[in-house]
């Protein structure tokens, strides 16, 4: 789990690696790429190639760093996302929570080259950004196996990921963590809260020793009980 400070916000992309390659889950804001790549190096990926990037969903704090990371990785990286968010990530559908004004506000804060790179990738792409779509229940061959759990509500194509070898749930934005406790997603940023809470029931069948929330970081100890409690409030 990476810990990246972005102004007042701390975000937590995740890295999985084995002896051949590494995988990145979520990419931060526009301009986050250099910091994420530096943290990846510190985490021990060495000279391994970046084989895949899994985007848990379309929101700007998850896809913003994608162009910079792809440019640095040099062409052998597959981008994976759920079909429900594929159109927004490919620039063929509007981003669900992003008006033109709001996007302009974000891009105003970054250097011109980052802005241009972002616009080239997401507003006017020469081709699709998503190389392969994710299916609920499939297990990706990353870091010993990473199972996709479709958890719509925060966005239609939101996915969480379960890493069985370490019993780790990568929740994305399906839940947030506060003071070591898990709660449902942020209501202000979750257009379909009922569906989002319903999605949490899908976690109940997994043996989870620790959960990583993109916002709030690591929670361990009593995670299954914590999730069951939150899911019961539905
Ligand atoms: Zn987020």
């Amino acid at each position: 789990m990476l810990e990246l400070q972005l102004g007042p916000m701390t975000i937590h992309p995740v890295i999985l690696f084995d002896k051949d390659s590494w995988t990145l889950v979520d990419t931060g804001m526009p301009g986050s790429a250099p910091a994420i790549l530096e943290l990846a190096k510190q985490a021990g990926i060495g000279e391994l190639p970046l084989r895949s990037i899994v985007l848990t969903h379309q929101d700007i704090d998850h896809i913003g760093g994608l162009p910079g990371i792809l440019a640095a990785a040099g062409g052998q990286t597959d981008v994976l996302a759920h079909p429900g968010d594929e159109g927004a990530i490919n620039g063929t559908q509007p981003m669900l929570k992003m008006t033109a004004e709001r996007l302009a506000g974000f891009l105003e804060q970054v250097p011109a080259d980052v802005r241009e790179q972002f616009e080239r990738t997401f507003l006017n792409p020469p081709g699709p950004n998503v190389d392969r779509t994710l299916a609920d229940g499939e297990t990706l061959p990353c870091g010993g196996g990473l199972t996709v759990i479709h958890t719509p509500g925060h966005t239609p194509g939101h996915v969480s990921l379960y890493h069985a070898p370490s019993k780790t749930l990568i929740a994305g934005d399906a839940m947030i963590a506060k003071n070591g406790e898990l709660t449902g997603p942020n209501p202000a940023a979750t257009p379909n809260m009922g569906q989002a809470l319903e999605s949490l029931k899908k976690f109940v069948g997994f043996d989870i020793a620790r959960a990583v929330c993109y916002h709030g970081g690591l929670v361990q100890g009593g995670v299954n009980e914590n999730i069951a409690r939150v899911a019961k409030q539905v």
Side-chain angles (χ1 to χ4, degrees), residues 206-232:
F206 292 88
D207 178 13
I208 302 167
R210 57 188 72 80
V212 177
C213 298
Y214 197 71
H215 305 282
L218 183 68
V219 173
Q220 34 191 352
V223 173
N224 278 103
E225 294 76 5
N226 196 160
I227 294 172
R229 210 161 43 236
V230 177
K232 217 187 252 170

Side-chain angles (χ1 to χ4, degrees), residues 177-228:
K178 251 185 203 161
N179 309 319
E181 286 281 311
L182 295 164
T183 67
N186 175 10
T190 304
N192 193 336
M193 196 62 180
Q195 190 185 36
L197 291 171
E198 195 64 37
S199 287
L200 299 185
K201 291 182 179 169
K202 287 181 132 178
F203 297 150
V204 172
F206 292 88
D207 178 13
I208 302 167
R210 57 188 72 80
V212 177
C213 298
Y214 197 71
H215 305 282
L218 183 68
V219 173
Q220 34 191 352
V223 173
N224 278 103
E225 294 76 5
N226 196 160
I227 294 172

Side-chain angles (χ1 to χ4, degrees), residues 100-122:
E101 293 74 28
R102 185 152 184 252
L103 182 59
F106 280 116
L107 295 179
E108 220 162 67
Q109 299 164 36
V110 298
D113 58 327
V114 173
R115 185 165 62 237
E116 279 156 25
Q117 198 181 34
F118 184 94
E119 289 171 346
R120 216 180 313 125
T121 303
F122 293 113

Side-chain angles (χ1 to χ4, degrees), residues 4-186:
L4 185 61
Q5 191 76 40
L6 296 175
M9 172 167 84
T10 305
I11 57 164
H12 301 275
V14 173
I15 283 174
L16 296 102
F17 65 99
D18 53 34
K19 62 181 191 348
D20 300 317
S21 64
W22 65 292
T23 293
L24 175 65
V25 180
D26 287 333
T27 66
M29 289 290 283
S32 291
I36 288 178
L37 293 168
E38 178 54 33
L39 289 172
K41 226 177 255 173
Q42 290 170 19
I45 58 139
E47 300 300 310
L48 292 174
L50 175 58
R51 180 169 62 177
S52 46
I53 296 174
V54 180
L55 298 171
T56 59
H57 62 292
Q58 60 174 285
D59 286 350
I60 193 167
D61 54 328
H62 298 254
I63 68 168
L66 181 70
I69 289 169
L70 287 178
Q76 294 302 309
T77 306
D78 277 341
V79 177
L80 286 65
H82 189 275
D85 279 19
E86 186 188 12
I89 296 167
N90 284 341
T92 57
Q93 281 173 18
M95 292 176 190
L96 187 63
K97 305 166 201 172
M98 198 56 79
T99 61
E101 293 74 28
R102 185 152 184 252
L103 182 59
F106 280 116
L107 295 179
E108 220 162 67
Q109 299 164 36
V110 298
D113 58 327
V114 173
R115 185 165 62 237
E116 279 156 25
Q117 198 181 34
F118 184 94
E119 289 171 346
R120 216 180 313 125
T121 303
F122 293 113
L123 304 185
N124 243 328
N129 294 311
V130 176
D131 297 297
R132 182 160 110 50
T133 51
L134 297 168
D136 184 40
E138 77 167 307
T139 298
L140 305 169
C142 313
L146 191 62
T147 301
V148 175
I149 310 169
H150 182 214
T151 44
H154 185 71
T155 66
H158 188 283
V159 295
S160 305
L161 303 156
Y162 179 68
H163 185 240
S166 66
K167 296 186 181 178
T168 303
L169 175 72
I170 302 169
D173 284 2
M175 299 186 289
I176 51 179
K178 251 185 203 161
N179 309 319
E181 286 281 311
L182 295 164
T183 67
N186 175 10

